[in-house]
């Protein structure tokens, strides 16, 4: 309950104050490449419930049909505006709507795509999805895009085992520091 209140207290004002940024990004995407402004992808939520995750489109249309669900440095599917959005993590801003709708939290393990289930044991899959996924998590706050699959999994479980309001606040500050100092690909 505290986590949900924390999410709403932060995400509702963020949506209001960032609305000019949403508008500017939308115009930049529309003017720079064909396709829509938003990208919707089915992700796995708490207790394995699927939901549509919102992002600003940073890749060419149908990118998920011409490559892996993961991107790499220099991925040709990423648009010019998309590179900036990804480096600054602005492509993740629409997930504030997922937080308000209750699909996601501000902090939690990043939501998996359904195909990733095969990478987990059944026990690990259940544990990983016992909490709401987040816009940022311990792996993103500490290692950002340089994290291996095993490191990410270990940090996600560390978060689940130790989660709490103060840890969420710490992760939010660490995430801002990662974005400002290191960026992404």
């Amino acid at each position: 309950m505290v986590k949900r209140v924390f999410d709403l207290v932060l995400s509702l004002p963020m949506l209001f104050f960032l609305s000019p940024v949403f508008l500017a990004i939308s115009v930049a995407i529309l003017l720079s490449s064909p396709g829509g402004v938003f990208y919707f992808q089915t992700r796995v939520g708490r207790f394995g419930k699927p939901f549509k995750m919102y992002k600003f489109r940073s890749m060419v249309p149908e990118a998920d049909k011409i490559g892996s669900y993961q991107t790499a440095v220099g991925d040709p599917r990423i648009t010019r505006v998309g590179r900036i959005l990804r480096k600054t993590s602005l492509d993740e801003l629409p997930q504030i709507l997922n937080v308000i709708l209750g699909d996601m939290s501000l902090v939690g393990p990043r939501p998996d795509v359904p195909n990733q289930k095969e990478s987990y044991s059944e026990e690990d899959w259940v544990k990983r999805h016992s909490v709401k996924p987040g816009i940022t998590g311990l792996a993103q706050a500490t290692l950002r895009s340089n994290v291996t699959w095993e490191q990410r999994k270990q940090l996600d479980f560390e978060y689940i085992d130790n989660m709490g309001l103060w840890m969420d606040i710490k992760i939010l500050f660490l995430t801002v520091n990662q974005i400002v100092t290191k960026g992404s690909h």
Side-chain angles (χ1 to χ4, degrees):
M1 182 67 175
V2 171
K3 188 171 177 65
R4 178 72 179 141
V5 171
F6 177 74
D7 285 342
L8 290 173
V9 165
L10 288 183
S11 60
L12 288 169
M14 284 171 63
L15 184 62
F16 176 76
F17 288 111
L18 292 172
S19 59
V21 176
F22 273 73
L23 181 62
I25 292 171
S26 298
V27 170
I29 292 171
L30 286 174
L31 294 177
S32 66
S33 65
V37 169
F38 295 103
Y39 172 72
F40 308 97
Q41 187 178 42
T42 300
R43 296 292 183 115
V44 181
R46 188 174 186 201
F47 304 130
K49 182 181 172 191
F51 69 97
K52 293 287 183 199
M53 186 177 80
Y54 310 124
K55 293 182 79 166
F56 281 119
R57 186 176 57 80
S58 61
M59 300 174 80
V60 298
E62 310 282 329
D64 54 344
K65 295 178 181 162
I66 55 175
S68 169
Y69 57 83
Q70 290 185 316
T71 60
V73 175
D75 193 317
R77 298 173 299 164
I78 300 172
T79 65
R80 201 177 49 200
V81 170
R83 285 190 219 309
I84 297 167
L85 294 177
R86 286 173 170 258
K87 186 162 183 70
T88 57
S89 294
L90 290 172
D91 60 322
E92 312 287 353
L93 280 182
Q95 291 164 40
I96 293 171
L97 295 170
N98 288 114
V99 173
I100 292 169
L101 293 172
D103 297 325
M104 294 177 67
S105 180
L106 290 171
V107 178
R110 289 292 296 153
D112 286 322
V113 295
N115 289 348
Q116 288 178 281
K117 185 173 184 177
E118 62 193 37
S119 301
Y120 293 91
S121 69
E122 185 62 30
E123 181 182 344
D124 284 352
W125 179 258
V126 170
K127 181 175 181 177
R128 175 81 165 49
H129 297 92
S130 64
V131 299
K132 282 186 184 177
I135 295 176
T136 187
L138 188 56
Q140 293 71 37
T142 55
L143 299 174
R144 189 100 173 120
S145 297
N146 299 319
V147 65
T148 66
W149 168 255
E150 282 302 320
Q151 288 172 319
R152 186 188 126 182
K153 194 166 100 175
Q154 183 179 19
L155 289 167
D156 287 344
F157 289 151
E158 183 180 330
Y159 172 78
I160 293 167
D161 291 338
N162 300 295
M163 62 186 282
L165 183 61
W166 291 115
M167 186 167 199
D168 284 5
I169 292 169
K170 178 181 170 185
I171 288 172
L172 289 173
F173 278 109
L174 288 171
T175 299
V176 170
N177 183 55
Q178 282 283 342
I179 292 169
V180 170
T181 60
K182 296 181 181 168
S184 183
H185 60 79

